[in-house]
Amino acid sequence: MNIGVIGYGKRISHVIEALKKEHPEAQIAAVVDIQNDKQRELESSGGRKVPFFETTEAMLAECKLDGVLIGTRCSLHTEMALKVFPSGLPLYLEKPVATTMEDLRRLKAGYEASRSQVVVSFPLRVTSLVQTIKQIVDSGQIGTVEHVQAVNNVPYGNVYYQHWYRDESETGGLFLQKATHDFDYIQYVLGQTPVAICAMKSKQIFKGTKPAGLRCSDCEDNRTCLESPHVKKAPHFHPDWQYCCFAEDTGNEDSGSALIEYESGMHVSYSQNFFARRKAGMRGARFLGYKGTIDFDFMTGILKVLMHHTPKVEIHEFSSGEDHFGGDHELVRNFGDIMAGRASSKSKLEDGLLSALMCLKAKESAETRTFQRITWE
């Protein structure tokens, strides 16, 4: 399997490692990237010279590929996907699939005119945990789901203020960065049509008057600041996360919530937070039906089925390890099978388009303090 890569960053390199484990015949055949050091990195790790191209068009014209992975920064996801679609090649596309409504509409039109199968990077929907939830809901054990309460308290949230993710023109905001995953797995379980959304977001912690562009290493408070790499107890620090998150140019909200109405009249409540740390981290939900409730947390790997009219409680335990709780490996296995011609996508672009639409409408709702219809108009 000859793979073309557009944007060879850390996230997509991790995806490629997982792909090779699931499909050992897969290999990087060509790369489009503006950073020359990426070529040296690939050669030193694989011992094989991988051709680098300046443009996607040149790579597609000169190389015989079986599939393409897009791992650029978020604002380029749409542009690069539109360049791949005419080739008809299978495409692995990182989320969010677009960061603006204009790009989202362009992506939808380009996809509808193409024959490419797309796998969107939504690993949560294919985890064993969510697959089990889907089976329980579809069985009718808890009745029809009539309410969902979902939470994502992100314990590594400082990445959105101390790394390039702080640039909202790149990320599109944190509904698109995080809620897009949660909206998708909820949507996958429910199988209903969302019709309206209202949202609110706040920036209460990661703001301040420190100079724009300030790095932790240059800050006079770097021995006392709890977000500084120089403080040993700073949780979830990464050496690449070096910008001051209390500077005047720190972007992104640090909490957000949304209410989503569905065509049946039921609604979902969702809340995400980016300054919770350590054991306060949580990502999960409650799916409530008349007969019972499903309660789970990805981070603990524990799923409970709590029956309402009998004292019965079922407990399921899953691995809560890395790789998006096992979802990454399931997605890349699916992508490899698509390239081999023996599968269809388990995370289609239609799913990515709907989730991004919901996130963009949530952002608009929060900024205009209005309810938003979830439509393409």
Side-chain angles (χ1 to χ4, degrees):
M1 290 181 183
N2 290 320
I3 310 299
V5 180
I6 304 172
Y8 185 78
K10 289 187 176 180
R11 168 59 186 162
I12 211 68
S13 65
H14 175 82
V15 169
I16 292 167
E17 287 179 10
L19 177 62
K20 288 180 177 179
K21 288 180 181 178
E22 299 297 330
H23 295 277
E25 68 275 27
Q27 63 176 354
I28 301 175
V31 173
V32 179
D33 201 293
I34 60 174
Q35 300 183 53
N36 293 331
D37 61 327
K38 299 296 184 182
Q39 185 168 22
R40 292 191 293 272
E41 178 184 329
L42 272 172
E43 290 175 8
S44 63
S45 63
R48 182 176 60 88
K49 189 173 180 63
V50 177
F52 266 57
F53 294 87
E54 292 186 1
T55 67
T56 298
E57 292 89 343
M59 179 184 74
L60 293 172
E62 296 183 33
C63 299
K64 182 174 175 56
L65 302 173
D66 297 299
V68 176
L69 294 88
I70 293 178
T72 61
R73 290 193 177 182
C74 306
S75 62
L76 291 175
H77 288 173
T78 291
E79 194 65 39
M80 295 302 109
L82 290 172
K83 292 178 184 293
V84 174
F85 284 156
S87 72
L89 289 169
L91 173 63
Y92 187 99
L93 180 60
E94 270 299 328
K95 61 79 193 170
V97 298
T99 57
T100 67
M101 277 301 301
E102 180 184 0
D103 275 358
L104 195 64
R105 292 189 180 100
R106 291 171 59 218
L107 184 65
K108 182 175 184 290
Y111 172 65
E112 289 172 349
S114 80
R115 55 186 176 85
S116 287
Q117 277 213 64
V118 180
V119 173
V120 177
S121 185
F122 279 152
L124 297 185
R125 64 159 47 213
V126 295
T127 59
S128 297
L129 199 158
V130 170
Q131 290 295 308
T132 301
I133 293 170
K134 176 70 169 169
Q135 292 168 8
I136 294 169
V137 168
D138 288 352
S139 75
Q141 181 178 349
I142 66 166
T144 305
V145 176
E146 301 295 356
H147 190 196
V148 180
Q149 301 161 340
V151 172
N152 186 8
N153 293 329
V154 185
Y156 53 87
N158 42 331
V159 66
Y160 296 105
Y161 313 98
Q162 293 181 284
H163 197 28
W164 68 261
Y165 286 101
R166 76 210 306 259
D167 184 353
E168 290 184 70
S169 66
E170 287 288 352
T171 65
L174 297 186
F175 284 119
L176 279 168
Q177 287 301 308
K178 299 305 289 183
T180 188
H181 281 301
D182 302 284
F183 288 174
D184 177 70
Y185 84 72
I186 292 168
Q187 180 65 28
Y188 170 70
V189 171
L190 292 179
Q192 296 189 34
T193 301
V195 296
I197 193 166
C198 66
M200 184 175 291
K201 58 183 180 178
S202 304
K203 189 173 178 66
Q204 297 295 97
I205 301 296
F206 295 122
K207 58 184 179 180
T209 58
K210 295 285 187 181
L214 179 66
R215 292 178 179 268
C216 287
S217 58
D218 299 322
C219 179
E220 60 184 8
D221 298 324
N222 65 17
R223 300 293 172 180
T224 57
C225 176
L226 294 177
E227 304 299 329
S228 168
H230 301 284
V231 176
K232 291 184 179 180
K233 293 183 180 180
H236 295 287
F237 172 75
H238 189 283
D240 291 338
W241 306 354
Q242 298 180 5
Y243 287 100
C244 176
C245 54
F246 301 109
E248 60 188 12
D249 64 335
T250 304
N252 294 319
E253 69 273 19
D254 50 36
S255 62
S257 302
L259 293 174
I260 307 162
E261 181 188 5
Y262 281 77
E263 60 183 351
S264 68
M266 66 86 70
H267 77 275
V268 171
S269 67
Y270 172 80
S271 190
Q272 60 183 17
N273 177 280
F274 297 90
F275 53 84
R277 293 291 183 268
R278 302 186 189 277
K279 295 297 183 179
M282 177 185 177
R283 190 173 206 171
R286 280 192 156 201
F287 289 83
L288 294 96
Y290 177 65
K291 297 179 182 178
T293 290
I294 296 171
D295 178 285
F296 77 97
D297 182 359
F298 283 110
M299 293 187 182
T300 64
I302 295 176
L303 184 161
K304 297 178 182 178
V305 184
L306 312 164
M307 301 311 295
H308 290 178
H309 305 292
T310 68
K312 181 180 179 181
V313 176
E314 292 179 11
I315 299 178
H316 306 256
E317 294 189 33
F318 300 84
S319 170
S320 57
E322 298 179 355
D323 304 324
H324 284 106
F325 317 105
D328 282 346
H329 284 269
E330 289 299 320
L331 272 191
V332 296
R333 182 185 297 124
N334 179 226
F335 184 63
D337 288 344
I338 291 170
M339 288 190 289
R342 55 175 179 260
S344 57
S345 177
K346 294 182 178 180
S347 181
K348 298 179 180 180
L349 188 54
E350 290 91 340
D351 303 312
L353 291 168
L354 177 57
S355 178
L357 177 63
M358 293 169 70
C359 291
L360 286 165
K361 292 293 186 177
K363 180 182 178 183
E364 184 177 356
S365 170
E367 292 174 352
T368 61
R369 295 184 175 273
T370 59
F371 278 81
Q372 293 290 316
R373 304 295 296 177
I374 302 174
T375 69
W376 289 97
E377 298 174 359

PDB file of all heavy atoms in Angstrom, residues 13-31:
ATOM      1  N   SER A  13       1.745  11.392  11.889  1.00  0.00           N
ATOM      2  CA  SER A  13       2.802  10.386  12.029  1.00  0.00           C
ATOM      3  C   SER A  13       2.353   9.289  12.997  1.00  0.00           C
ATOM      4  O   SER A  13       2.673   8.110  12.807  1.00  0.00           O
ATOM      5  CB  SER A  13       4.110  11.026  12.492  1.00  0.00           C
ATOM      6  OG  SER A  13       3.982  11.574  13.794  1.00  0.00           O
ATOM      7  N   HIS A  14       1.614   9.690  14.015  1.00  0.00           N
ATOM      8  CA  HIS A  14       1.054   8.709  14.958  1.00  0.00           C
ATOM      9  C   HIS A  14       0.033   7.819  14.251  1.00  0.00           C
ATOM     10  O   HIS A  14       0.003   6.598  14.464  1.00  0.00           O
ATOM     11  CB  HIS A  14       0.401   9.445  16.129  1.00  0.00           C
ATOM     12  CG  HIS A  14      -0.299   8.545  17.099  1.00  0.00           C
ATOM     13  ND1 HIS A  14       0.351   7.861  18.101  1.00  0.00           N
ATOM     14  CD2 HIS A  14      -1.612   8.196  17.204  1.00  0.00           C
ATOM     15  CE1 HIS A  14      -0.514   7.140  18.787  1.00  0.00           C
ATOM     16  NE2 HIS A  14      -1.714   7.329  18.271  1.00  0.00           N
ATOM     17  N   VAL A  15      -0.792   8.419  13.406  1.00  0.00           N
ATOM     18  CA  VAL A  15      -1.784   7.650  12.644  1.00  0.00           C
ATOM     19  C   VAL A  15      -1.083   6.652  11.724  1.00  0.00           C
ATOM     20  O   VAL A  15      -1.509   5.496  11.594  1.00  0.00           O
ATOM     21  CB  VAL A  15      -2.681   8.603  11.834  1.00  0.00           C
ATOM     22  CG1 VAL A  15      -3.548   7.829  10.827  1.00  0.00           C
ATOM     23  CG2 VAL A  15      -3.572   9.424  12.759  1.00  0.00           C
ATOM     24  N   ILE A  16       0.008   7.076  11.101  1.00  0.00           N
ATOM     25  CA  ILE A  16       0.744   6.194  10.190  1.00  0.00           C
ATOM     26  C   ILE A  16       1.353   5.017  10.951  1.00  0.00           C
ATOM     27  O   ILE A  16       1.347   3.876  10.469  1.00  0.00           O
ATOM     28  CB  ILE A  16       1.827   6.996   9.443  1.00  0.00           C
ATOM     29  CG1 ILE A  16       1.163   7.985   8.484  1.00  0.00           C
ATOM     30  CG2 ILE A  16       2.763   6.058   8.675  1.00  0.00           C
ATOM     31  CD1 ILE A  16       2.099   9.025   7.928  1.00  0.00           C
ATOM     32  N   GLU A  17       1.869   5.262  12.139  1.00  0.00           N
ATOM     33  CA  GLU A  17       2.403   4.171  12.957  1.00  0.00           C
ATOM     34  C   GLU A  17       1.317   3.135  13.246  1.00  0.00           C
ATOM     35  O   GLU A  17       1.550   1.923  13.173  1.00  0.00           O
ATOM     36  CB  GLU A  17       2.963   4.720  14.267  1.00  0.00           C
ATOM     37  CG  GLU A  17       4.271   5.472  14.124  1.00  0.00           C
ATOM     38  CD  GLU A  17       4.762   6.017  15.455  1.00  0.00           C
ATOM     39  OE1 GLU A  17       4.183   5.648  16.495  1.00  0.00           O
ATOM     40  OE2 GLU A  17       5.706   6.804  15.461  1.00  0.00           O
ATOM     41  N   ALA A  18       0.137   3.623  13.592  1.00  0.00           N
ATOM     42  CA  ALA A  18      -0.980   2.715  13.858  1.00  0.00           C
ATOM     43  C   ALA A  18      -1.381   1.960  12.589  1.00  0.00           C
ATOM     44  O   ALA A  18      -1.685   0.762  12.631  1.00  0.00           O
ATOM     45  CB  ALA A  18      -2.172   3.496  14.416  1.00  0.00           C
ATOM     46  N   LEU A  19      -1.366   2.664  11.454  1.00  0.00           N
ATOM     47  CA  LEU A  19      -1.719   2.038  10.173  1.00  0.00           C
ATOM     48  C   LEU A  19      -0.758   0.905   9.841  1.00  0.00           C
ATOM     49  O   LEU A  19      -1.168  -0.177   9.400  1.00  0.00           O
ATOM     50  CB  LEU A  19      -1.718   3.091   9.064  1.00  0.00           C
ATOM     51  CG  LEU A  19      -1.992   2.594   7.640  1.00  0.00           C
ATOM     52  CD1 LEU A  19      -3.374   1.968   7.539  1.00  0.00           C
ATOM     53  CD2 LEU A  19      -1.848   3.739   6.639  1.00  0.00           C
ATOM     54  N   LYS A  20       0.532   1.126  10.069  1.00  0.00           N
ATOM     55  CA  LYS A  20       1.529   0.090   9.762  1.00  0.00           C
ATOM     56  C   LYS A  20       1.381  -1.126  10.670  1.00  0.00           C
ATOM     57  O   LYS A  20       1.677  -2.252  10.264  1.00  0.00           O
ATOM     58  CB  LYS A  20       2.933   0.679   9.883  1.00  0.00           C
ATOM     59  CG  LYS A  20       3.294   1.644   8.761  1.00  0.00           C
ATOM     60  CD  LYS A  20       4.704   2.188   8.937  1.00  0.00           C
ATOM     61  CE  LYS A  20       5.100   3.088   7.777  1.00  0.00           C
ATOM     62  NZ  LYS A  20       6.469   3.646   7.959  1.00  0.00           N
ATOM     63  N   LYS A  21       0.934  -0.909  11.903  1.00  0.00           N
ATOM     64  CA  LYS A  21       0.710  -2.042  12.797  1.00  0.00           C
ATOM     65  C   LYS A  21      -0.468  -2.896  12.318  1.00  0.00           C
ATOM     66  O   LYS A  21      -0.439  -4.125  12.425  1.00  0.00           O
ATOM     67  CB  LYS A  21       0.450  -1.546  14.218  1.00  0.00           C
ATOM     68  CG  LYS A  21       1.691  -0.993  14.912  1.00  0.00           C
ATOM     69  CD  LYS A  21       1.367  -0.513  16.319  1.00  0.00           C
ATOM     70  CE  LYS A  21       2.616   0.058  16.998  1.00  0.00           C
ATOM     71  NZ  LYS A  21       2.294   0.585  18.355  1.00  0.00           N
ATOM     72  N   GLU A  22      -1.502  -2.223  11.824  1.00  0.00           N
ATOM     73  CA  GLU A  22      -2.675  -2.949  11.352  1.00  0.00           C
ATOM     74  C   GLU A  22      -2.490  -3.493   9.942  1.00  0.00           C
ATOM     75  O   GLU A  22      -3.058  -4.538   9.596  1.00  0.00           O
ATOM     76  CB  GLU A  22      -3.906  -2.025  11.386  1.00  0.00           C
ATOM     77  CG  GLU A  22      -4.265  -1.505  12.773  1.00  0.00           C
ATOM     78  CD  GLU A  22      -4.655  -2.607  13.730  1.00  0.00           C
ATOM     79  OE1 GLU A  22      -5.188  -3.643  13.277  1.00  0.00           O
ATOM     80  OE2 GLU A  22      -4.403  -2.451  14.945  1.00  0.00           O
ATOM     81  N   HIS A  23      -1.700  -2.789   9.134  1.00  0.00           N
ATOM     82  CA  HIS A  23      -1.439  -3.184   7.751  1.00  0.00           C
ATOM     83  C   HIS A  23       0.055  -3.034   7.486  1.00  0.00           C
ATOM     84  O   HIS A  23       0.507  -1.998   6.985  1.00  0.00           O
ATOM     85  CB  HIS A  23      -2.246  -2.313   6.774  1.00  0.00           C
ATOM     86  CG  HIS A  23      -3.729  -2.475   6.874  1.00  0.00           C
ATOM     87  ND1 HIS A  23      -4.410  -3.491   6.237  1.00  0.00           N
ATOM     88  CD2 HIS A  23      -4.657  -1.761   7.556  1.00  0.00           C
ATOM     89  CE1 HIS A  23      -5.705  -3.393   6.518  1.00  0.00           C
ATOM     90  NE2 HIS A  23      -5.876  -2.348   7.312  1.00  0.00           N
ATOM     91  N   PRO A  24       0.856  -4.043   7.799  1.00  0.00           N
ATOM     92  CA  PRO A  24       2.311  -3.945   7.654  1.00  0.00           C
ATOM     93  C   PRO A  24       2.776  -3.645   6.235  1.00  0.00           C
ATOM     94  O   PRO A  24       3.899  -3.162   6.034  1.00  0.00           O
ATOM     95  CB  PRO A  24       2.806  -5.328   8.108  1.00  0.00           C
ATOM     96  CG  PRO A  24       1.721  -5.843   9.003  1.00  0.00           C
ATOM     97  CD  PRO A  24       0.448  -5.318   8.423  1.00  0.00           C
ATOM     98  N   GLU A  25       1.925  -3.913   5.249  1.00  0.00           N
ATOM     99  CA  GLU A  25       2.293  -3.649   3.852  1.00  0.00           C
ATOM    100  C   GLU A  25       2.211  -2.159   3.498  1.00  0.00           C
ATOM    101  O   GLU A  25       2.654  -1.745   2.415  1.00  0.00           O
ATOM    102  CB  GLU A  25       1.395  -4.461   2.912  1.00  0.00           C
ATOM    103  CG  GLU A  25      -0.071  -4.039   2.873  1.00  0.00           C
ATOM    104  CD  GLU A  25      -0.941  -4.656   3.955  1.00  0.00           C
ATOM    105  OE1 GLU A  25      -0.408  -5.000   5.035  1.00  0.00           O
ATOM    106  OE2 GLU A  25      -2.157  -4.766   3.730  1.00  0.00           O
ATOM    107  N   ALA A  26       1.648  -1.348   4.389  1.00  0.00           N
ATOM    108  CA  ALA A  26       1.520   0.092   4.125  1.00  0.00           C
ATOM    109  C   ALA A  26       2.871   0.786   4.270  1.00  0.00           C
ATOM    110  O   ALA A  26       3.629   0.504   5.197  1.00  0.00           O
ATOM    111  CB  ALA A  26       0.509   0.715   5.074  1.00  0.00           C
ATOM    112  N   GLN A  27       3.160   1.706   3.359  1.00  0.00           N
ATOM    113  CA  GLN A  27       4.399   2.474   3.440  1.00  0.00           C
ATOM    114  C   GLN A  27       4.183   3.880   2.906  1.00  0.00           C
ATOM    115  O   GLN A  27       3.339   4.110   2.029  1.00  0.00           O
ATOM    116  CB  GLN A  27       5.514   1.794   2.646  1.00  0.00           C
ATOM    117  CG  GLN A  27       5.235   1.694   1.149  1.00  0.00           C
ATOM    118  CD  GLN A  27       6.393   1.093   0.378  1.00  0.00           C
ATOM    119  OE1 GLN A  27       7.456   0.856   0.940  1.00  0.00           O
ATOM    120  NE2 GLN A  27       6.204   0.857  -0.922  1.00  0.00           N
ATOM    121  N   ILE A  28       4.926   4.823   3.455  1.00  0.00           N
ATOM    122  CA  ILE A  28       4.868   6.198   2.966  1.00  0.00           C
ATOM    123  C   ILE A  28       5.600   6.258   1.633  1.00  0.00           C
ATOM    124  O   ILE A  28       6.797   5.966   1.547  1.00  0.00           O
ATOM    125  CB  ILE A  28       5.512   7.175   3.969  1.00  0.00           C
ATOM    126  CG1 ILE A  28       4.810   7.099   5.321  1.00  0.00           C
ATOM    127  CG2 ILE A  28       5.459   8.599   3.419  1.00  0.00           C
ATOM    128  CD1 ILE A  28       5.465   7.942   6.397  1.00  0.00           C
ATOM    129  N   ALA A  29       4.883   6.625   0.588  1.00  0.00           N
ATOM    130  CA  ALA A  29       5.458   6.675  -0.752  1.00  0.00           C
ATOM    131  C   ALA A  29       5.789   8.085  -1.194  1.00  0.00           C
ATOM    132  O   ALA A  29       6.637   8.282  -2.074  1.00  0.00           O
ATOM    133  CB  ALA A  29       4.506   6.032  -1.761  1.00  0.00           C
ATOM    134  N   ALA A  30       5.139   9.085  -0.601  1.00  0.00           N
ATOM    135  CA  ALA A  30       5.375  10.474  -0.997  1.00  0.00           C
ATOM    136  C   ALA A  30       4.810  11.401   0.067  1.00  0.00           C
ATOM    137  O   ALA A  30       3.843  11.047   0.760  1.00  0.00           O
ATOM    138  CB  ALA A  30       4.731  10.773  -2.347  1.00  0.00           C
ATOM    139  N   VAL A  31       5.408  12.579   0.194  1.00  0.00           N
ATOM    140  CA  VAL A  31       4.985  13.548   1.209  1.00  0.00           C
ATOM    141  C   VAL A  31       4.962  14.949   0.602  1.00  0.00           C
ATOM    142  O   VAL A  31       5.863  15.316  -0.165  1.00  0.00           O
ATOM    143  CB  VAL A  31       5.940  13.538   2.425  1.00  0.00           C
ATOM    144  CG1 VAL A  31       5.587  14.660   3.403  1.00  0.00           C
ATOM    145  CG2 VAL A  31       5.893  12.189   3.135  1.00  0.00           C
TER     146      VAL A  31
END
